Amino acid sequence: MLDAKIPAGPLDDKWSEYKGHCKLVNPANKRKLEVIVIGTGLAGASAAASLGELGYKVKAFCFQDSPRRAHSIAAQGGINAAKNYQNDGDSVFRLFYDTIKGGDYRARESNVHRLSEVSANIIDQCVAQGVPFAREYGGLLSNRSFGGTQVQRTFYAAGQTGQQLLIGAYQALERQVALGNVKMYSRHEMLEIVKIDGKARGIIARDLVSGKLERHFGHAVLLCSGGYGNVFYLSTNAMGSNVTAAWKAHKKGAAFANPCFTQIHPTCIPVSGDHQSKLTLMSESLRNDGRIWVPKKQGDNRKASEIPEEERDYYLERRYPAFGNLVPRDVASRAAKERCDEGFGVGTSKQAVYLDFGAAILRYGKIEAGKEGRDDLDEATIIKLGKEVVKEKYGNLFDMYEKITGENPYEVPMRIYPAVHYTMGGLWVDYELQTNVPGLYALGEANFSDHGANRLGASALMQGLADGYFVIPYTLGNNLAEDIYSNAIETSHPAFAEAEKEVADRINQLMGIKGKQSVESFHKRLGKIMWDKCGMARNEKGLQQAIVEIQALKKEFWSDVKIPGEIDEMNPELDKANRVADFLELGELMCMDALNRKESCGGHFREEYQTPDGEALRDDANFMYVAAWEYKGEHSWELTKEPLVYEVIKPTQRNYK
């Protein structure tokens, strides 16, 4: 039985009551306690900086050469916060409600409400760090809209919000490194959790430059290692993003929750050929001003400029008049797929739709002309003025699109298509962000807790920084208060030796295969299985086939993979092989979870379960739970269900019309 440790009392009071009554560690005792942080993206950097500032002895592990290379920098569009700067009706409750509804009623109320409460603090923290958020003419911070909301609550820094937020967290982290409170281990990868007397007490890490295995003790271990979208091979994730840290914890007893809940982002640059190893995301912020459409005629091969307005189908505006182009990501993605599947797709592949800024450019141009009191300007001049406004708002995104496609989006519409982006599933955690393994925590995208079956845009940055800056300093202290008499355990302890041997044996086994097929080829084949049968749409037959195919692929991998080089040296192919081995096992579990969940909700769309007009059809009577899977051996997992109880929000069929 999993205990979520949700505090008693009214929802609005749970977090303040928790903070008021949780145990504290006094400053002198904090210096005796060691904390390991795996990953230095937004969640990891903010957690390490905060805990270092409090006085804990922190070890931070980064598998890149610098925390500034964390995949968090790729987040473009913004970060949500319930500050109601626009005076348009936003509130903590509204953000909480939108997040629960956006996740299709498959998230835990208490965690989501806490996230909404602390969201405003994040903006204040980041402004104090110097994050250059966009501002209005009068100096107030600017907001824009994102999908699944009817208010403007997304703070942004042009199209590089993730990068600017990460630099802020990185500065805070480096300050603690300079003060000696945090020790940074760059180019190190965690390959095993060390448990002693049932508690997580350390890790085995590999120095990715020398190949040497290292033992590290910690009174607690925090996993901030991001999501697992690269199980699909083609995704918007950085190529290095992987599931290894979370998966090693899973195989040591940590439950993996809702693994089939993966998010498909609707605005990505379409696949252009077999040569690609990743996909590029175009920020959801573009849907503020860009209009999405396809030709009304099937197989229309005319250029976009040759298709008159009356022959264009603005299908999101048609189907969802209340939200239009700003419906949630899962809804927009399925709608694009449906149009393309029906023969209305555009481009050479016909697997794309248009994202058109023509109307926005004209609208902004007229506003600029009005500011100057000019009603005598010709259309070309108005368009020129409008382009300048759009350039100021989205210029770096437009430049990126042109570099990749060779097309100028100021002149012709962008072509977009859905792609794997974020994973809502992750390690199961309780209200304190602790897994079911005592002493082991998961923060940010590595855990499952805040987004249900679909994440709203601009909420990933919010969750990562909320967990690191404002949640874990309280919840970790509440548990470490009982550990102040626990001395550091020497890494000569038998548990460390046994864990290191497990890692070494696994590496030796991989290197000893000496097969003929590259690691990359196995990853590609796994990705195709996952995308075709556990991607934007799933069905029982396809999922059953996928499980069999993945099991066969895993067997082939462990008998015929080729890894050049040696163990005791820098060997990226060996690192990749370790990660793909974990992806193969995760892929199987994802398909099992999707097969078990006989309903559609959010990003999990089972073709057998849909409304007459093609929307996701939930089954609250049988599936209103968190699916937490515990590893029991090869091809074997045990399901534990955490019931989701909604005390404040009453689940209904989602309606964005």
Side-chain angles (χ1 to χ4, degrees):
M1 186 66 186
L2 298 172
D3 180 7
K5 297 180 185 173
I6 299 169
L11 187 64
D12 289 357
D13 299 335
K14 288 183 190 294
W15 181 231
S16 55
E17 283 293 306
Y18 178 93
K19 289 191 293 181
H21 296 92
C22 66
K23 298 171 187 170
L24 301 177
V25 181
N26 81 41
N29 285 331
K30 284 179 182 138
R31 292 192 289 271
K32 302 174 187 175
L33 296 170
E34 300 180 38
V35 180
I36 289 172
V37 178
I38 306 298
T40 49
L42 281 179
S46 59
S50 300
L51 297 175
E53 185 80 44
L54 288 171
Y56 293 103
K57 291 165 67 176
V58 180
K59 292 179 179 179
F61 291 81
C62 166
F63 73 73
Q64 298 99 341
D65 57 347
S66 164
R68 288 183 63 169
R69 293 190 187 274
H71 185 58
S72 300
I73 68 163
Q76 299 164 343
I79 176 170
N80 288 330
K83 276 187 168 292
N84 196 30
Y85 277 4
Q86 307 297 321
N87 201 29
D88 57 359
D90 200 11
S91 64
V92 167
F93 180 83
R94 182 79 63 179
L95 174 54
F96 159 68
Y97 173 77
D98 286 345
T99 305
I100 291 284
K101 178 184 175 184
D104 218 353
Y105 305 96
R106 290 295 177 263
R108 193 189 285 152
E109 265 195 343
S110 57
N111 289 62
V112 177
H113 197 277
R114 176 177 64 190
L115 175 65
S116 304
E117 286 179 68
V118 305
S119 64
N121 298 342
I122 299 169
I123 305 303
D124 297 338
Q125 170 92 356
C126 294
V127 168
Q129 289 173 341
V131 173
F133 287 119
R135 293 179 182 267
E136 303 289 359
Y137 178 77
L140 292 175
L141 297 184
S142 182
N143 289 129
R144 56 190 178 199
S145 297
F146 260 60
T149 73
Q150 291 179 305
V151 298
Q152 290 180 282
R153 66 162 67 100
T154 304
F155 295 77
Y156 63 98
Q160 50 182 259
T161 313
Q163 181 175 0
Q164 296 301 331
L165 291 172
L166 185 63
I167 289 171
Y170 171 73
Q171 289 173 160
L173 173 60
E174 287 301 307
R175 178 173 179 269
Q176 296 306 313
V177 172
L179 292 171
N181 297 327
V182 177
K183 185 167 183 182
M184 177 65 65
Y185 293 85
S186 59
R187 291 211 182 278
H188 279 67
E189 183 166 24
M190 188 211 95
L191 293 180
E192 195 58 272
I193 291 286
V194 178
K195 284 169 65 177
I196 299 175
D197 297 329
K199 280 189 173 183
R201 289 301 197 188
I203 64 164
I204 304 298
R206 184 169 183 265
D207 182 327
L208 298 179
V209 176
S210 69
K212 181 185 174 188
L213 296 180
E214 299 177 3
R215 307 174 184 181
H216 295 275
F217 166 79
H219 288 90
V221 177
L222 277 54
L223 299 183
C224 311
S225 49
Y228 49 88
N230 274 351
V231 69
F232 291 90
Y233 186 69
L234 282 178
S235 81
T236 66
N237 289 197
M239 285 302 292
S241 297
N242 63 84
V243 76
T244 288
W247 197 250
K248 299 310 183 196
H250 172 57
K251 294 183 79 170
K252 274 287 191 286
F256 210 104
N258 299 337
C260 78
F261 285 173
T262 54
Q263 179 171 81
I264 312 296
H265 197 293
T267 49
C268 295
I269 297 178
V271 177
S272 61
D274 293 338
H275 61 283
Q276 279 184 267
S277 56
K278 78 176 298 294
L279 297 173
T280 303
L281 171 71
M282 299 308 297
S283 169
E284 183 176 312
S285 63
L286 296 174
R287 290 200 275 148
N288 272 271
D289 288 312
R291 298 179 73 195
I292 295 172
W293 64 276
V294 293
K296 286 184 177 178
K297 190 174 94 178
Q298 288 178 319
D300 194 330
N301 291 319
R302 290 177 292 174
K303 293 179 181 177
S305 59
E306 297 172 354
I307 301 175
E309 190 73 15
E310 63 272 13
E311 295 181 35
R312 300 179 179 189
D313 178 15
Y314 295 93
Y315 59 88
L316 290 178
E317 298 172 32
R318 170 173 56 82
R319 290 176 59 177
Y320 307 101
F323 283 74
N325 294 298
L326 286 169
V327 291
R329 290 174 176 178
D330 61 315
V331 176
S333 294
R334 279 197 296 276
K337 180 179 186 295
E338 184 272 333
R339 288 290 81 192
C340 292
D341 289 350
E342 291 298 315
F344 296 96
V346 301
T348 53
S349 68
K350 299 299 181 185
Q351 293 295 298
V353 299
Y354 286 128
L355 178 61
D356 194 339
F357 277 79
I361 288 171
L362 203 58
R363 184 177 77 252
Y364 283 127
K366 289 177 179 176
I367 291 170
E368 292 302 299
K371 286 180 184 177
E372 298 175 13
R374 300 286 304 275
D375 56 5
D376 58 340
L377 297 179
D378 59 19
E379 188 171 283
T381 306
I382 289 173
I383 288 173
K384 184 179 177 184
L385 290 171
K387 285 179 181 176
E388 289 301 314
V389 176
V390 170
K391 184 176 182 180
E392 188 176 334
K393 291 168 75 81
Y394 308 111
N396 62 317
L397 298 171
F398 276 50
D399 292 344
M400 184 168 69
Y401 182 87
E402 185 169 10
K403 280 182 181 177
I404 291 170
T405 67
E407 297 176 355
N408 181 351
Y410 294 102
E411 304 293 339
V412 298
M414 293 182 180
R415 285 174 292 107
I416 57 168
Y417 193 72
V420 172
H421 178 54
Y422 186 91
T423 50
M424 285 75 66
L427 292 180
W428 182 90
V429 293
D430 59 22
Y431 188 74
E432 298 184 313
L433 304 185
Q434 187 169 212
T435 69
N436 56 306
V437 174
L440 180 65
Y441 296 77
L443 284 65
E445 193 178 355
N447 75 32
F448 87 98
S449 70
D450 291 10
H451 305 296
N454 172 63
R455 177 176 66 76
L456 292 183
S459 287
L461 304 182
M462 175 174 64
Q463 187 209 346
L465 292 180
D467 287 356
Y469 282 139
F470 299 110
V471 178
I472 201 66
Y474 289 95
T475 62
L476 183 66
N478 188 52
N479 291 295
L480 287 184
E482 300 174 3
D483 256 339
I484 58 174
Y485 302 110
S486 301
N487 294 324
I489 298 170
E490 294 295 327
T491 54
S492 57
H493 188 285
F496 279 92
E498 183 182 339
E500 183 179 331
K501 184 177 184 302
E502 284 180 30
V503 175
D505 288 349
R506 191 162 60 236
I507 290 173
N508 284 324
Q509 185 182 355
L510 276 169
M511 292 300 292
I513 296 169
K514 301 193 182 303
K516 296 177 182 176
Q517 300 183 62
S518 69
V519 177
E520 191 85 350
S521 67
F522 282 103
H523 195 180
K524 268 189 176 181
R525 288 164 64 190
L526 172 65
K528 180 162 177 51
I529 295 169
M530 294 300 296
W531 177 250
D532 289 347
K533 293 168 181 173
C534 194
M536 286 181 71
R538 302 104 187 255
N539 59 57
E540 184 173 11
K541 182 181 177 183
L543 290 166
Q544 289 171 339
Q545 289 173 345
I547 291 169
V548 173
E549 290 172 19
I550 292 169
Q551 289 176 349
L553 188 63
K554 177 184 175 182
K555 188 175 180 181
E556 189 179 342
F557 173 88
W558 281 99
S559 62
D560 198 31
V561 72
K562 178 181 181 179
I563 306 170
E566 303 297 331
I567 293 173
D568 298 324
E569 64 180 12
M570 188 172 181
N571 190 340
E573 281 299 296
L574 174 57
D575 304 334
K576 196 191 300 182
N578 264 311
R579 297 165 189 165
V580 171
D582 294 333
F583 277 140
L584 285 163
E585 295 180 359
L586 167 67
E588 182 180 352
L589 178 60
M590 288 172 68
C591 293
M592 283 181 59
D593 187 39
L595 186 62
N596 176 75
R597 190 171 281 276
K598 294 179 171 62
E599 65 165 352
S600 292
C601 55
H604 167 66
F605 192 74
R606 283 285 296 268
E607 293 172 345
E608 305 95 321
Y609 308 102
Q610 52 183 299
T611 64
D613 53 355
E615 304 295 342
L617 183 63
R618 296 195 323 270
D619 179 356
D620 292 344
N622 294 304
F623 293 97
M624 192 174 278
Y625 60 75
V626 177
W629 298 87
E630 294 187 54
Y631 182 76
K632 295 298 179 183
E634 188 170 16
H635 310 309
S636 176
W637 286 269
E638 183 179 297
L639 174 61
T640 301
K641 301 174 184 178
E642 179 204 332
L644 290 169
V645 179
Y646 291 97
E647 299 174 356
V648 175
I649 292 178
K650 300 307 173 193
T652 57
Q653 175 69 34
R654 281 195 308 173
N655 184 358
Y656 292 97
K657 296 182 178 181

